[in-house]
């Protein structure tokens, strides 16, 4: 298995969020990712955007992340030599205009930022918040949109996000029911519409990332091009600070579109 996959959404830094609790879990998480064919990682611990408006609080949080990052780098160097390791955060947009001047808040120091809305609830004016980030010079990638409550009834909102200049990252595990039936159905719809720009694991160092399982699913649907774009090409372009290439629609293996569309009418 070649280590060509790039994963830019995971929680493997030890002891800083709800991901890896300690170095032992980080070690197992890194091992699991390598076993899944991952050759490059951007680790993304949780950070509240509101912290960026309070300099002292932000520095305290970043100091905590720095210590965890140094531990992870040392661990990866010893246990998984050859694995490329970069850093960023998963930014909870609890304020619409965060200060993202510190490169530690951005994915591998690029202009790309991984964002989520609080409590997996769709706030009012979400498209405006994403548009504002673009106006400020940043490129938002919305993490796991398929998991938002009620999104299945408001899919047109994703078009507004995309029109605002945001990209969409779906979790591998969503296709297998890890986050429930609704998230699974929405992930399938997004794949069929060609609205997914990246796939990533959101791996919390427990269980399995299900990366290769997702690749096999795509290959079974004659989606070799999609697997390449979503798991290798577009994430690697992100590492280089480049926008993703368009991903064409792909009919799901279960032919869900008509049944799902009827369910959500």
């Amino acid at each position: 298995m070649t280590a060509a996959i790039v994963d830019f959404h995971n929680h493997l830094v030890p002891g800083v969020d709800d991901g890896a609790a300690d170095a032992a879990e980080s070690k197992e998480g890194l091992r699991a990712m390598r076993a899944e064919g991952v050759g490059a990682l951007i680790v993304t611990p949780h950070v509240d955007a509101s912290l960026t408006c309070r300099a002292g609080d932000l520095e305290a949080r970043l100091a905590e992340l720095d210590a965890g990052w140094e531990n992870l780098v040392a661990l990866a160097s010893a246990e998984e030599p050859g694995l490329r390791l970069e850093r960023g955060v998963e930014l909870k947009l609890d304020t619409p205009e965060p200060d993202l001047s510190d490169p530690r808040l951005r994915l591998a120091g690029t202009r790309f930022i991984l964002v989520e809305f609080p409590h997996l609830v769709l706030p009012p004016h979400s498209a405006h918040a994403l548009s504002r980030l673009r106006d400020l010079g940043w490129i938002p990638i919305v993490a796991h949109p398929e998991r938002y409550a009620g999104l299945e009834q408001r899919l047109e909102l994703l078009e507004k996000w995309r029109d605002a200049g945001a990209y969409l990252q779906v979790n591998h595990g969503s296709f297998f029911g890890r986050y429930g039936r609704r998230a699974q159905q929405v992930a399938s719809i997004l794949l069929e519409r060609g609205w997914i720009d990246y796939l990533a694991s959101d791996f919390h160092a427990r269980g399995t990332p299900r990366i290769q399982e997702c690749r096999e699913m795509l290959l079974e649907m004659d989606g070799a091009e999609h697997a390449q774009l979503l798991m290798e090409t577009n994430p690697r372009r992100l590492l280089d600070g480049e926008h993703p290439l368009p991903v064409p629609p792909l009919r799901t293996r279960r032919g869900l579109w008509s049944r799902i569309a009827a369910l959500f009418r």
Side-chain angles (χ1 to χ4, degrees), residues 1-7 33-41 82-84 211-212 215 227-237 239:
M1 181 188 300
T2 60
I5 293 170
V6 178
D7 188 86
M33 295 294 259
R34 288 287 270 184
E36 294 273 354
V38 174
L41 285 171
L83 176 66
R84 177 175 175 180
I211 296 171
Q212 286 302 322
R215 177 189 285 277
Q228 176 80 27
L229 286 168
L230 293 168
M231 303 169 75
E232 299 180 24
T233 302
N234 283 350
R236 195 161 295 280
R237 289 175 64 86
L239 283 172

Side-chain angles (χ1 to χ4, degrees), residues 116 120 143-151 171 174 179 183 186 202 204:
E116 65 174 348
L120 292 177
H144 46 60
E146 73 280 8
R147 295 180 60 194
Y148 282 90
L151 182 63
N171 289 356
S174 291
Y179 310 99
V186 172
D202 196 5
H204 281 59

Side-chain angles (χ1 to χ4, degrees), residues 58-75:
L58 177 62
E59 284 307 313
R61 178 60 172 151
L62 288 176
E64 179 184 26
L65 298 185
D66 286 346
W69 165 251
E70 291 171 6
N71 289 336
L72 186 67
V73 169
L75 187 64

Side-chain angles (χ1 to χ4, degrees), residues 6-9 107 112-115 130 134 139-146 157-172 175 186-187 189-201 214 218 225-239 242-250:
V6 178
D7 188 86
F8 65 85
H9 182 183
L107 295 172
F112 289 88
I113 54 172
L114 183 67
V115 302
L130 297 171
R134 285 303 302 259
I139 307 170
I141 300 173
V142 181
H144 46 60
E146 73 280 8
L157 183 59
L158 296 189
E159 287 189 283
K160 295 180 181 179
W161 290 2
R162 291 165 65 83
D163 289 343
Y167 295 109
L168 305 181
Q169 173 261 303
V170 165
N171 289 356
H172 302 110
F175 290 103
V186 172
I189 291 174
L190 299 185
L191 183 62
E192 290 204 346
R193 291 191 178 186
W195 287 3
I196 304 176
D197 300 292
Y198 308 94
L199 290 172
S201 70
C214 190
L218 292 170
E225 176 188 8
H226 299 75
Q228 176 80 27
L229 286 168
L230 293 168
M231 303 169 75
E232 299 180 24
T233 302
N234 283 350
R236 195 161 295 280
R237 289 175 64 86
L238 187 158
L239 283 172
E242 299 176 350
H243 291 265
L245 299 178
V247 179
L250 178 66

Side-chain angles (χ1 to χ4, degrees), residues 92-191:
K92 183 170 72 175
L93 282 179
D94 57 349
T95 187
E97 296 190 10
D99 178 0
L100 301 175
S101 56
D102 193 309
R104 290 172 290 181
L105 298 170
R106 310 193 303 266
L107 295 172
T110 67
R111 293 191 299 129
F112 289 88
I113 54 172
L114 183 67
V115 302
E116 65 174 348
F117 295 108
H119 313 301
L120 292 177
V121 173
L122 296 168
H125 313 301
S126 58
H128 176 75
L130 297 171
S131 178
R132 182 59 181 150
L133 289 173
R134 285 303 302 259
D135 290 344
L136 294 170
W138 313 120
I139 307 170
I141 300 173
V142 181
H144 46 60
E146 73 280 8
R147 295 180 60 194
Y148 282 90
L151 182 63
E152 69 275 6
Q153 298 171 354
R154 299 181 60 191
L155 290 176
E156 74 283 353
L157 183 59
L158 296 189
E159 287 189 283
K160 295 180 181 179
W161 290 2
R162 291 165 65 83
D163 289 343
Y167 295 109
L168 305 181
Q169 173 261 303
V170 165
N171 289 356
H172 302 110
S174 291
F175 290 103
F176 307 103
R178 173 168 285 178
Y179 310 99
R181 181 170 173 266
R182 292 281 174 170
Q184 183 179 31
Q185 292 171 330
V186 172
S188 295
I189 291 174
L190 299 185
L191 183 62

